[in-house]
Amino acid sequence: MNTTLLTALEGSKRAEAVRSAASILRDGGLVAFPTETVYGLGAASSNQAAVRKIFAAKGRPSGVPLIVHVTDIELASRYVQGVPESASVLARRFWPGPLTLVLPRTAGVSLAITGGGETVAVRAPAHDVALALIGELGEGIAAPSANRYNALPSVRAKHVLDGLGGLIDGVLDAGRCPGGLESTVLDLTTSLPRVLRRGAVTIEQLRELIDVDEAGQGSRAPLTVEGQWLSVVEPSVLAGLVPAAERVGVLVRGDAPAMSPAGATVVVRRMPAGAADYAAELYDTLHKLRDAGCTRVLVEALPGDGSWDAMRDRLFRLATSTVR
Ligand code: AMP
Ligand code: MG
């Protein structure tokens, strides 16, 4: 299969690219599209066969559910059984934005989308191109992140093509995604809402509007973790961990430690000091280090305070998965 690159950078070509992408989706194809977090791999949510193709293209187990992307709470109400007050309040404050709400599904939402379950995840992405695409299609777009299962998420069209080129019909290219981190996933089907995945919207922000289950926060990701490709380590031990005869990427927030391990090539990347800017650059930086041939990446441990929770969580997941 040929994967068509549809350029949707600012300008007059954008509307044309969005129309072409919508027409591919209407015909049952798969199109990757930008959101404010990462690129999503979309299918028209009403087309079960198309939705199933997402799992095949990603190599993702069918039990892991997809998010239905909508323009607003009105479109979301097609997919969920009644919109509870909590959902209206949250959507009014955070949509379009990186907050995914899990609610009971309507019969029209296929089990292919929900991973066989009775709930469905919905969110409105804060990205003009994504919103234009959903609007043009006229229905929700079912999408997970546009990367092979257990690979780095894509924040550029190039990353999508590197992982999924030849496996999907098109990529709508709007440049680098601004946000970086995936959305916060909040389950509203339990008596007390529960955070299932930490993300850009923090638990503290949610608590300004609704009660959130303590237990739902899960255990906080540890400050350091040693993984296969990526490890998060204290600055004091960075140098000692760089193996000889390897090309190692090192992500630091402050000054780079003096390192000259015999035989190793060290590629140092200085990351932003703030959590939001750090998140915006993380995936792009990791893609660059991998493309530069780094066989290992060492990340300087992040601060322990709450604003870094989602970031620490994400790094922990990357380190403990088979990502490389
Ligand atoms: P991805 O964007 O690739 O991370 O995939 C979507 C994510 O949304 C999944 O990994 C789930 O964590 C979450 N999700 C989607 N639907 C549901 C649901 N019905 N219940 C709980 N989590 C969900
Ligand atoms: Mg994903």
Side-chain angles (χ1 to χ4, degrees), residues 58 60 64-67 102 114 119-121 143-145 185 196-197:
K58 280 188 64 112
R60 168 156 158 155
V64 188
L66 312 179
I67 296 170
V102 173
T114 68
T119 61
V120 62
S145 55
V185 178
L196 300 180
R197 173 172 82 183

Side-chain angles (χ1 to χ4, degrees), residues 4-321:
T4 310
L5 183 66
L6 301 158
T7 303
L9 302 168
E10 291 296 347
S12 58
K13 290 266 167 66
R14 181 173 267 195
E16 197 184 311
V18 166
R19 275 197 298 276
S20 306
S23 120
I24 295 174
L25 292 174
R26 221 171 272 125
D27 292 343
L30 302 185
V31 178
F33 62 98
T35 76
E36 82 281 35
T37 61
V38 301
Y39 274 79
L41 177 58
S45 59
S46 63
N47 188 328
Q48 234 189 101
V51 169
R52 288 194 200 287
K53 285 198 275 185
I54 290 179
F55 293 88
K58 280 188 64 112
R60 168 156 158 155
S62 60
V64 188
L66 312 179
I67 296 170
V68 177
H69 292 72
V70 295
T71 44
D72 51 28
I73 195 77
E74 200 190 324
L75 183 55
S77 67
R78 268 199 223 170
Y79 305 107
V80 305
Q81 271 181 47
V83 176
E85 178 61 14
S86 56
S88 310
V89 167
L90 291 167
R92 224 175 290 135
R93 165 79 172 78
F94 295 108
W95 281 11
L99 177 64
T100 296
L101 302 176
V102 173
L103 289 159
R105 71 168 179 126
T106 52
V109 178
S110 76
L111 294 173
I113 291 177
T114 68
E118 290 306 320
T119 61
V120 62
V122 289
R123 106 170 172 98
H127 195 294
D128 288 350
V129 171
L131 291 173
L133 181 64
I134 302 162
E136 180 74 28
L137 182 65
E139 64 164 295
I141 297 179
S145 55
N147 50 268
R148 292 276 297 167
Y149 186 60
N150 268 341
L152 282 178
S154 303
V155 293
R156 294 180 188 275
K158 173 193 182 295
H159 304 156
V160 177
L161 290 172
D162 286 350
L164 296 168
L167 298 171
I168 63 176
D169 300 277
V171 185
L172 201 44
D173 179 5
R176 195 174 98 171
C177 298
L181 272 192
E182 291 99 321
S183 62
T184 302
V185 178
L186 181 69
D187 186 354
L188 291 176
T189 66
T190 45
S191 52
L192 257 189
R194 233 165 220 232
V195 171
L196 300 180
R197 173 172 82 183
R198 290 174 190 274
V201 173
T202 64
I203 291 171
E204 291 68 36
Q205 283 176 301
L206 296 173
R207 288 221 165 112
E208 287 170 16
L209 299 176
I210 56 159
D211 280 343
V212 177
D213 191 357
E214 285 289 338
Q217 291 182 53
S219 54
R220 299 176 88 205
L223 293 176
T224 67
V225 52
E226 195 159 337
Q228 279 180 34
W229 184 64
L230 184 148
S231 298
V232 185
V233 299
E234 291 296 341
S236 58
V237 300
L238 269 182
L241 282 177
V242 176
E246 271 199 78
R247 194 174 171 85
V248 180
V250 175
L251 266 60
V252 291
R253 291 175 53 253
D255 292 327
M259 293 191 295
S260 52
T265 306
V266 180
V267 185
V268 177
R269 287 280 177 272
R270 194 177 168 139
M271 298 294 285
D277 293 336
Y278 189 108
E281 298 214 347
L282 179 70
Y283 291 140
D284 203 30
T285 305
L286 292 176
H287 276 282
K288 282 180 179 143
L289 291 174
R290 196 200 41 207
D291 291 350
C294 292
T295 47
R296 248 174 105 66
V297 175
L298 303 176
V299 181
E300 180 187 332
L302 303 175
D305 63 88
S307 63
W308 290 88
D309 277 355
M311 212 49 259
R312 259 201 324 278
D313 192 67
R314 211 44 41 99
L315 284 172
F316 178 76
R317 284 172 192 234
L318 286 174
T320 53
S321 74

